[in-house]
Each structure stands twice: as structure tokens, then as C-alpha cells.
Amino acid sequence: MGTVKAVCTSAVKGIQKSEQQYVDLVPDWGIEDDAHAGPWHRQVSLLGYERMENGSFGENIIVEGFDLKTLPIGTRFVVGDAVLELTQVGKQCHKHCAIYHKMGDCIMPREGVFCKVIKGGRVCAGDSFDTIGKAPAASSYDPYDIHASRPKTS
């Protein structure tokens, strides 16, 4: 079991996030009032606490006790009252953003993971964080798996 060390948001993509007292996770959307919220597979970003300073690399939830990047796509987490599903490990950086210029590096491509919100709820520092198994195969989507079919949208 792990622990949430901080929750962070920003109104704009590509900048450092600010630590918040709590965040509200909305199913199939992400974190209320965060720039990355929306109907896609990278609704919430997570980084291991051991890797960084709060919000420095644009992450939403900082977790102590897990090597997140080693977990398989489809892993589900319970955090506070919410449930998240791991949808992507790492990301491609297309250009050096404001975070890279300020920090001199960006660890999200190597260390960050992304999730979609399965069940909403409020999350704050101190909440427990744990795995609860893997999603049914039909609900997991890895955008970097060239053999996967893109989910149909309505």
C-alpha cells in the first residue's frame, strides 16, 4: 500500500502544477478544473514521490510506495474514494516545455504514468493508494499498442 503525498493542478498544459488541499476526480473526465481533464486516456498523471518535488513536473498525484512505471497497462488503483485505471506509461515529449526549461529536465517521459478515472471522488494528501487488480481486457486501451483497436466514441 502507498500514500498520496500531494495533489496538484494547473489551468494550462505544459507548466508546473500548484499543490492543492484536495482534488475532485470526475468519472471519464479527470480532475475538476485541471488542464488535462477531458474525454481521453490521459486524464490524471501520477509520479512516484521518490522522483521529484511536488508539482514540479506537471503531475497531478504524487504517490509514495510504488514504482508506478513498472505496472502493467490496465492496473486499477483505489485512491481515497476514487478508482483510476492505468492507461499509459511515460509519454513522448515533442518539444521542451516550460517545465523542461525551468527544471533542466522532464521526467514524465521516463517516470510518469497516466490514468483515466473509473469512479470519482475527492483525493487529498494522506489518502491511501493501492492496486485493486486489473481492468477487464475490453476496457483497457494502450494508445502505443499498434495492434490495439481505438475505442469507439459516441
Short mmCIF file of all heavy atoms in Angstrom, two decimals, residues 2-9 18-27 30-32 43-47 59-64 77-85 115-130:
data_model
loop_
_atom_site.label_atom_id
_atom_site.label_comp_id
_atom_site.label_asym_id
_atom_site.label_seq_id
_atom_site.Cartn_x
_atom_site.Cartn_y
_atom_site.Cartn_z
N GLY A 2 0.41 2.27 -0.70
CA GLY A 2 1.13 3.52 -0.77
C GLY A 2 0.32 4.64 -0.15
O GLY A 2 -0.78 4.43 0.37
N THR A 3 0.89 5.84 -0.26
CA THR A 3 0.25 7.02 0.32
C THR A 3 0.34 8.18 -0.67
O THR A 3 1.38 8.39 -1.31
CB THR A 3 0.96 7.45 1.61
OG1 THR A 3 0.96 6.35 2.52
CG2 THR A 3 0.29 8.64 2.26
N VAL A 4 -0.75 8.93 -0.79
CA VAL A 4 -0.74 10.15 -1.59
C VAL A 4 0.03 11.21 -0.81
O VAL A 4 -0.30 11.51 0.34
CB VAL A 4 -2.17 10.65 -1.89
CG1 VAL A 4 -2.15 12.00 -2.59
CG2 VAL A 4 -2.94 9.62 -2.70
N LYS A 5 1.09 11.75 -1.42
CA LYS A 5 1.90 12.78 -0.76
C LYS A 5 1.43 14.18 -1.12
O LYS A 5 1.60 15.10 -0.32
CB LYS A 5 3.37 12.61 -1.14
CG LYS A 5 3.96 11.28 -0.71
CD LYS A 5 3.86 11.04 0.78
CE LYS A 5 4.89 11.81 1.54
NZ LYS A 5 4.89 11.50 2.98
N ALA A 6 0.85 14.35 -2.31
CA ALA A 6 0.37 15.67 -2.72
C ALA A 6 -0.55 15.51 -3.92
O ALA A 6 -0.46 14.53 -4.66
CB ALA A 6 1.52 16.60 -3.07
N VAL A 7 -1.44 16.48 -4.09
CA VAL A 7 -2.30 16.57 -5.27
C VAL A 7 -2.11 17.96 -5.87
O VAL A 7 -2.03 18.95 -5.14
CB VAL A 7 -3.78 16.28 -4.95
CG1 VAL A 7 -3.96 14.82 -4.55
CG2 VAL A 7 -4.32 17.19 -3.86
N CYS A 8 -2.02 18.03 -7.20
CA CYS A 8 -1.66 19.28 -7.86
C CYS A 8 -2.49 19.49 -9.12
O CYS A 8 -2.89 18.52 -9.78
CB CYS A 8 -0.17 19.24 -8.26
SG CYS A 8 0.94 18.85 -6.90
N THR A 9 -2.73 20.75 -9.46
CA THR A 9 -3.47 21.09 -10.68
C THR A 9 -2.85 22.32 -11.34
O THR A 9 -2.09 23.06 -10.71
CB THR A 9 -4.95 21.40 -10.39
OG1 THR A 9 -5.03 22.56 -9.55
CG2 THR A 9 -5.67 20.23 -9.74
N SER A 18 0.29 23.49 -9.29
CA SER A 18 0.29 24.01 -7.93
C SER A 18 -0.35 22.99 -7.00
O SER A 18 -1.40 22.41 -7.32
CB SER A 18 -0.51 25.31 -7.85
OG SER A 18 0.06 26.27 -8.69
N GLU A 19 0.27 22.82 -5.84
CA GLU A 19 -0.27 21.89 -4.85
C GLU A 19 -1.61 22.41 -4.33
O GLU A 19 -1.78 23.60 -4.07
CB GLU A 19 0.72 21.71 -3.71
CG GLU A 19 0.38 20.56 -2.80
CD GLU A 19 1.50 20.19 -1.85
OE1 GLU A 19 2.64 20.65 -2.04
OE2 GLU A 19 1.22 19.43 -0.92
N GLN A 20 -2.57 21.49 -4.17
CA GLN A 20 -3.91 21.81 -3.70
C GLN A 20 -4.20 21.06 -2.41
O GLN A 20 -3.58 20.03 -2.12
CB GLN A 20 -4.95 21.42 -4.75
CG GLN A 20 -4.73 22.02 -6.12
CD GLN A 20 -4.80 23.52 -6.14
OE1 GLN A 20 -5.64 24.13 -5.46
NE2 GLN A 20 -3.91 24.16 -6.87
N GLN A 21 -5.17 21.54 -1.65
CA GLN A 21 -5.59 20.84 -0.43
C GLN A 21 -6.26 19.52 -0.80
O GLN A 21 -6.09 18.51 -0.12
CB GLN A 21 -6.54 21.72 0.37
CG GLN A 21 -6.94 21.12 1.70
CD GLN A 21 -7.81 22.07 2.49
OE1 GLN A 21 -8.29 23.09 2.00
NE2 GLN A 21 -8.03 21.73 3.75
N TYR A 22 -7.02 19.51 -1.88
CA TYR A 22 -7.69 18.31 -2.38
C TYR A 22 -8.01 18.51 -3.85
O TYR A 22 -7.96 19.64 -4.37
CB TYR A 22 -8.98 18.01 -1.59
CG TYR A 22 -10.03 19.08 -1.73
CD1 TYR A 22 -10.93 19.07 -2.80
CD2 TYR A 22 -10.11 20.12 -0.81
CE1 TYR A 22 -11.88 20.06 -2.95
CE2 TYR A 22 -11.06 21.11 -0.95
CZ TYR A 22 -11.94 21.08 -2.02
OH TYR A 22 -12.88 22.07 -2.17
N VAL A 23 -8.33 17.40 -4.53
CA VAL A 23 -8.84 17.45 -5.90
C VAL A 23 -10.07 16.57 -5.98
O VAL A 23 -10.19 15.58 -5.24
CB VAL A 23 -7.79 17.00 -6.96
CG1 VAL A 23 -6.63 17.99 -7.01
CG2 VAL A 23 -7.29 15.59 -6.70
N ASP A 24 -10.98 16.93 -6.87
CA ASP A 24 -12.17 16.12 -7.12
C ASP A 24 -12.01 15.43 -8.46
O ASP A 24 -11.84 16.09 -9.49
CB ASP A 24 -13.44 16.98 -7.10
CG ASP A 24 -13.78 17.47 -5.71
OD1 ASP A 24 -13.65 16.67 -4.76
OD2 ASP A 24 -14.16 18.65 -5.55
N LEU A 25 -12.05 14.10 -8.43
CA LEU A 25 -11.94 13.30 -9.65
C LEU A 25 -13.34 13.02 -10.19
O LEU A 25 -14.24 12.63 -9.44
CB LEU A 25 -11.23 11.98 -9.36
CG LEU A 25 -9.79 12.11 -8.87
CD1 LEU A 25 -9.23 10.75 -8.47
CD2 LEU A 25 -8.92 12.72 -9.93
N VAL A 26 -13.50 13.24 -11.49
CA VAL A 26 -14.79 13.07 -12.16
C VAL A 26 -14.67 11.88 -13.13
O VAL A 26 -13.74 11.85 -13.95
CB VAL A 26 -15.17 14.35 -12.93
CG1 VAL A 26 -16.50 14.19 -13.64
CG2 VAL A 26 -15.20 15.55 -11.98
N PRO A 27 -15.59 10.91 -13.06
CA PRO A 27 -15.50 9.75 -13.94
C PRO A 27 -15.46 10.14 -15.42
O PRO A 27 -16.17 11.06 -15.86
CB PRO A 27 -16.79 8.96 -13.66
CG PRO A 27 -17.22 9.41 -12.29
CD PRO A 27 -16.76 10.85 -12.19
N GLY A 30 -11.54 13.29 -15.43
CA GLY A 30 -10.27 13.63 -14.81
C GLY A 30 -10.48 14.50 -13.59
O GLY A 30 -11.48 14.39 -12.89
N ILE A 31 -9.52 15.38 -13.36
CA ILE A 31 -9.58 16.26 -12.19
C ILE A 31 -10.31 17.54 -12.55
O ILE A 31 -9.95 18.23 -13.51
CB ILE A 31 -8.17 16.57 -11.66
CG1 ILE A 31 -7.53 15.28 -11.14
CG2 ILE A 31 -8.21 17.64 -10.57
CD1 ILE A 31 -6.11 15.44 -10.65
N GLU A 32 -11.33 17.83 -11.78
CA GLU A 32 -12.12 19.04 -12.00
C GLU A 32 -11.19 20.26 -12.03
O GLU A 32 -10.33 20.41 -11.17
CB GLU A 32 -13.13 19.17 -10.87
CG GLU A 32 -14.19 20.21 -11.09
CD GLU A 32 -15.25 20.14 -10.01
OE1 GLU A 32 -16.04 19.18 -10.02
OE2 GLU A 32 -15.25 21.03 -9.14
N GLN A 43 -6.20 11.42 -18.39
CA GLN A 43 -6.97 12.35 -17.57
C GLN A 43 -6.23 12.77 -16.30
O GLN A 43 -6.40 13.89 -15.83
CB GLN A 43 -8.31 11.71 -17.20
CG GLN A 43 -9.16 11.41 -18.40
CD GLN A 43 -10.37 10.56 -18.08
OE1 GLN A 43 -10.53 10.05 -16.97
NE2 GLN A 43 -11.24 10.40 -19.06
N VAL A 44 -5.43 11.87 -15.75
CA VAL A 44 -4.73 12.12 -14.49
C VAL A 44 -3.30 11.60 -14.62
O VAL A 44 -3.08 10.50 -15.09
CB VAL A 44 -5.42 11.41 -13.31
CG1 VAL A 44 -4.70 11.67 -11.99
CG2 VAL A 44 -6.89 11.84 -13.20
N SER A 45 -2.33 12.41 -14.21
CA SER A 45 -0.92 11.98 -14.25
C SER A 45 -0.43 11.70 -12.84
O SER A 45 -0.82 12.36 -11.88
CB SER A 45 -0.05 13.06 -14.90
OG SER A 45 -0.14 14.28 -14.19
N LEU A 46 0.43 10.67 -12.73
CA LEU A 46 0.98 10.27 -11.44
C LEU A 46 2.49 10.14 -11.55
O LEU A 46 3.01 9.74 -12.59
CB LEU A 46 0.42 8.91 -11.01
CG LEU A 46 -1.02 8.81 -10.54
CD1 LEU A 46 -1.97 8.86 -11.70
CD2 LEU A 46 -1.22 7.53 -9.78
N LEU A 47 3.16 10.49 -10.47
CA LEU A 47 4.61 10.28 -10.34
C LEU A 47 4.91 9.74 -8.95
O LEU A 47 4.19 10.03 -8.00
CB LEU A 47 5.37 11.60 -10.50
CG LEU A 47 5.81 12.01 -11.89
CD1 LEU A 47 6.44 13.39 -11.84
CD2 LEU A 47 6.75 11.01 -12.52
N GLU A 59 2.71 16.82 -12.74
CA GLU A 59 1.92 15.66 -12.32
C GLU A 59 0.76 16.10 -11.44
O GLU A 59 0.81 17.13 -10.79
CB GLU A 59 2.80 14.66 -11.56
CG GLU A 59 3.21 15.12 -10.18
CD GLU A 59 4.18 16.29 -10.15
OE1 GLU A 59 4.87 16.55 -11.13
OE2 GLU A 59 4.23 16.95 -9.09
N ASN A 60 -0.29 15.28 -11.43
CA ASN A 60 -1.47 15.57 -10.62
C ASN A 60 -1.40 14.94 -9.24
O ASN A 60 -1.78 15.57 -8.25
CB ASN A 60 -2.74 15.05 -11.29
CG ASN A 60 -3.09 15.78 -12.55
OD1 ASN A 60 -3.21 15.17 -13.60
ND2 ASN A 60 -3.27 17.09 -12.48
N ILE A 61 -0.99 13.68 -9.18
CA ILE A 61 -0.98 12.97 -7.90
C ILE A 61 0.41 12.39 -7.67
O ILE A 61 0.96 11.72 -8.55
CB ILE A 61 -2.04 11.85 -7.88
CG1 ILE A 61 -3.45 12.45 -8.09
CG2 ILE A 61 -1.98 11.07 -6.56
CD1 ILE A 61 -4.56 11.42 -8.18
N ILE A 62 0.97 12.67 -6.51
CA ILE A 62 2.29 12.18 -6.14
C ILE A 62 2.08 11.06 -5.13
O ILE A 62 1.39 11.24 -4.12
CB ILE A 62 3.14 13.31 -5.55
CG1 ILE A 62 3.31 14.39 -6.61
CG2 ILE A 62 4.49 12.78 -5.09
CD1 ILE A 62 3.29 15.76 -6.06
N VAL A 63 2.66 9.89 -5.44
CA VAL A 63 2.41 8.68 -4.66
C VAL A 63 3.72 8.15 -4.09
O VAL A 63 4.70 8.02 -4.82
CB VAL A 63 1.76 7.60 -5.54
CG1 VAL A 63 1.54 6.32 -4.75
CG2 VAL A 63 0.45 8.09 -6.13
N GLU A 64 3.72 7.83 -2.81
CA GLU A 64 4.86 7.18 -2.19
C GLU A 64 4.55 5.69 -2.03
O GLU A 64 3.45 5.32 -1.67
CB GLU A 64 5.12 7.79 -0.81
CG GLU A 64 6.33 7.21 -0.10
CD GLU A 64 6.57 7.89 1.24
OE1 GLU A 64 5.61 8.09 2.01
OE2 GLU A 64 7.73 8.23 1.50
N PHE A 77 -6.28 1.30 -9.53
CA PHE A 77 -5.88 1.80 -8.22
C PHE A 77 -7.10 2.32 -7.49
O PHE A 77 -7.99 2.90 -8.11
CB PHE A 77 -4.91 2.99 -8.37
CG PHE A 77 -3.72 2.72 -9.23
CD1 PHE A 77 -3.65 3.23 -10.52
CD2 PHE A 77 -2.64 1.97 -8.76
CE1 PHE A 77 -2.55 3.00 -11.33
CE2 PHE A 77 -1.54 1.74 -9.56
CZ PHE A 77 -1.48 2.25 -10.84
N VAL A 78 -7.10 2.16 -6.18
CA VAL A 78 -8.07 2.85 -5.35
C VAL A 78 -7.29 3.92 -4.60
O VAL A 78 -6.24 3.66 -4.02
CB VAL A 78 -8.82 1.89 -4.39
CG1 VAL A 78 -7.90 1.20 -3.42
CG2 VAL A 78 -9.93 2.63 -3.66
N VAL A 79 -7.79 5.15 -4.69
CA VAL A 79 -7.15 6.28 -4.04
C VAL A 79 -8.25 7.13 -3.41
O VAL A 79 -9.12 7.63 -4.12
CB VAL A 79 -6.26 7.08 -5.02
CG1 VAL A 79 -7.00 7.49 -6.27
CG2 VAL A 79 -5.63 8.29 -4.35
N GLY A 80 -8.24 7.23 -2.09
CA GLY A 80 -9.37 7.87 -1.42
C GLY A 80 -10.62 7.09 -1.77
O GLY A 80 -10.64 5.87 -1.67
N ASP A 81 -11.66 7.77 -2.25
CA ASP A 81 -12.90 7.12 -2.67
C ASP A 81 -12.91 6.81 -4.17
O ASP A 81 -13.85 6.22 -4.67
CB ASP A 81 -14.11 8.03 -2.38
CG ASP A 81 -14.31 8.25 -0.90
OD1 ASP A 81 -14.00 7.34 -0.12
OD2 ASP A 81 -14.77 9.35 -0.53
N ALA A 82 -11.87 7.22 -4.88
CA ALA A 82 -11.84 7.12 -6.33
C ALA A 82 -11.16 5.84 -6.81
O ALA A 82 -10.39 5.21 -6.08
CB ALA A 82 -11.12 8.34 -6.91
N VAL A 83 -11.43 5.50 -8.08
CA VAL A 83 -10.76 4.39 -8.74
C VAL A 83 -10.19 4.91 -10.05
O VAL A 83 -10.89 5.56 -10.84
CB VAL A 83 -11.73 3.21 -9.01
CG1 VAL A 83 -11.03 2.11 -9.81
CG2 VAL A 83 -12.26 2.65 -7.70
N LEU A 84 -8.90 4.63 -10.28
CA LEU A 84 -8.20 5.01 -11.51
C LEU A 84 -7.75 3.77 -12.24
O LEU A 84 -7.51 2.73 -11.64
CB LEU A 84 -6.96 5.85 -11.17
CG LEU A 84 -7.16 7.13 -10.38
CD1 LEU A 84 -5.81 7.76 -10.04
CD2 LEU A 84 -8.02 8.10 -11.18
N GLU A 85 -7.60 3.88 -13.57
CA GLU A 85 -7.07 2.79 -14.38
C GLU A 85 -5.87 3.29 -15.16
O GLU A 85 -5.96 4.30 -15.87
CB GLU A 85 -8.13 2.27 -15.34
CG GLU A 85 -7.63 1.10 -16.18
CD GLU A 85 -8.67 0.59 -17.15
OE1 GLU A 85 -9.86 0.47 -16.76
OE2 GLU A 85 -8.31 0.32 -18.31
N CYS A 115 -3.61 7.92 -16.15
CA CYS A 115 -4.79 7.12 -15.82
C CYS A 115 -6.05 7.81 -16.31
O CYS A 115 -6.07 9.02 -16.52
CB CYS A 115 -4.91 6.97 -14.30
SG CYS A 115 -3.55 6.08 -13.53
N LYS A 116 -7.10 6.99 -16.43
CA LYS A 116 -8.44 7.54 -16.61
C LYS A 116 -9.20 7.28 -15.32
O LYS A 116 -8.86 6.37 -14.56
CB LYS A 116 -9.14 6.92 -17.82
CG LYS A 116 -9.42 5.46 -17.71
CD LYS A 116 -10.09 4.95 -18.98
CE LYS A 116 -10.35 3.46 -18.88
NZ LYS A 116 -10.99 2.95 -20.10
N VAL A 117 -10.21 8.10 -15.07
CA VAL A 117 -11.00 7.99 -13.85
C VAL A 117 -12.17 7.03 -14.09
O VAL A 117 -13.00 7.28 -14.95
CB VAL A 117 -11.52 9.36 -13.38
CG1 VAL A 117 -12.34 9.22 -12.10
CG2 VAL A 117 -10.37 10.33 -13.17
N ILE A 118 -12.20 5.95 -13.32
CA ILE A 118 -13.28 4.97 -13.41
C ILE A 118 -14.40 5.33 -12.45
O ILE A 118 -15.58 5.29 -12.80
CB ILE A 118 -12.75 3.55 -13.08
CG1 ILE A 118 -11.60 3.17 -14.02
CG2 ILE A 118 -13.87 2.52 -13.12
CD1 ILE A 118 -11.94 3.17 -15.49
N LYS A 119 -14.03 5.70 -11.23
CA LYS A 119 -15.00 6.11 -10.20
C LYS A 119 -14.50 7.40 -9.59
O LYS A 119 -13.34 7.49 -9.19
CB LYS A 119 -15.13 5.03 -9.13
CG LYS A 119 -16.08 5.39 -8.02
CD LYS A 119 -16.14 4.30 -6.95
CE LYS A 119 -17.00 4.77 -5.80
NZ LYS A 119 -16.33 4.67 -4.53
N GLY A 120 -15.34 8.39 -9.52
CA GLY A 120 -14.94 9.69 -8.99
C GLY A 120 -14.85 9.72 -7.47
O GLY A 120 -15.28 8.79 -6.79
N GLY A 121 -14.31 10.81 -6.98
CA GLY A 121 -14.20 11.01 -5.54
C GLY A 121 -13.19 12.09 -5.24
O GLY A 121 -12.47 12.56 -6.12
N ARG A 122 -13.14 12.49 -4.00
CA ARG A 122 -12.20 13.50 -3.53
C ARG A 122 -10.92 12.82 -3.07
O ARG A 122 -10.95 11.81 -2.38
CB ARG A 122 -12.81 14.30 -2.40
CG ARG A 122 -11.91 15.43 -1.91
CD ARG A 122 -12.68 16.43 -1.12
NE ARG A 122 -13.44 17.26 -2.05
CZ ARG A 122 -14.18 18.30 -1.67
NH1 ARG A 122 -14.29 18.62 -0.40
NH2 ARG A 122 -14.84 19.00 -2.57
N VAL A 123 -9.78 13.40 -3.45
CA VAL A 123 -8.47 12.86 -3.08
C VAL A 123 -7.64 13.97 -2.46
O VAL A 123 -7.63 15.10 -2.97
CB VAL A 123 -7.75 12.28 -4.32
CG1 VAL A 123 -6.36 11.79 -3.97
CG2 VAL A 123 -8.57 11.15 -4.94
N CYS A 124 -6.92 13.64 -1.39
CA CYS A 124 -6.04 14.63 -0.76
C CYS A 124 -4.80 13.92 -0.22
O CYS A 124 -4.75 12.70 -0.12
CB CYS A 124 -6.77 15.39 0.33
SG CYS A 124 -7.40 14.38 1.66
N ALA A 125 -3.79 14.73 0.10
CA ALA A 125 -2.57 14.19 0.69
C ALA A 125 -2.93 13.41 1.94
O ALA A 125 -3.80 13.80 2.71
CB ALA A 125 -1.60 15.32 1.01
N GLY A 126 -2.26 12.26 2.11
CA GLY A 126 -2.51 11.40 3.25
C GLY A 126 -3.44 10.23 2.92
O GLY A 126 -3.49 9.25 3.68
N ASP A 127 -4.18 10.32 1.82
CA ASP A 127 -5.05 9.22 1.42
C ASP A 127 -4.21 7.99 1.08
O ASP A 127 -3.08 8.10 0.60
CB ASP A 127 -5.90 9.58 0.20
CG ASP A 127 -7.08 10.47 0.53
OD1 ASP A 127 -7.37 10.66 1.72
OD2 ASP A 127 -7.70 10.99 -0.42
N SER A 128 -4.80 6.82 1.30
CA SER A 128 -4.12 5.58 0.92
C SER A 128 -4.23 5.40 -0.59
O SER A 128 -5.14 5.93 -1.24
CB SER A 128 -4.73 4.39 1.65
OG SER A 128 -6.09 4.25 1.30
N PHE A 129 -3.28 4.66 -1.14
CA PHE A 129 -3.20 4.40 -2.57
C PHE A 129 -2.80 2.95 -2.73
O PHE A 129 -1.78 2.52 -2.18
CB PHE A 129 -2.14 5.32 -3.20
CG PHE A 129 -2.00 5.18 -4.69
CD1 PHE A 129 -2.67 6.04 -5.54
CD2 PHE A 129 -1.20 4.19 -5.25
CE1 PHE A 129 -2.54 5.93 -6.91
CE2 PHE A 129 -1.06 4.07 -6.61
CZ PHE A 129 -1.74 4.94 -7.46
N ASP A 130 -3.61 2.17 -3.46
CA ASP A 130 -3.28 0.75 -3.59
C ASP A 130 -3.84 0.22 -4.91
O ASP A 130 -4.75 0.81 -5.50
CB ASP A 130 -3.88 -0.04 -2.43
CG ASP A 130 -3.08 -1.30 -2.12
OD1 ASP A 130 -2.12 -1.63 -2.85
OD2 ASP A 130 -3.41 -1.96 -1.12
#
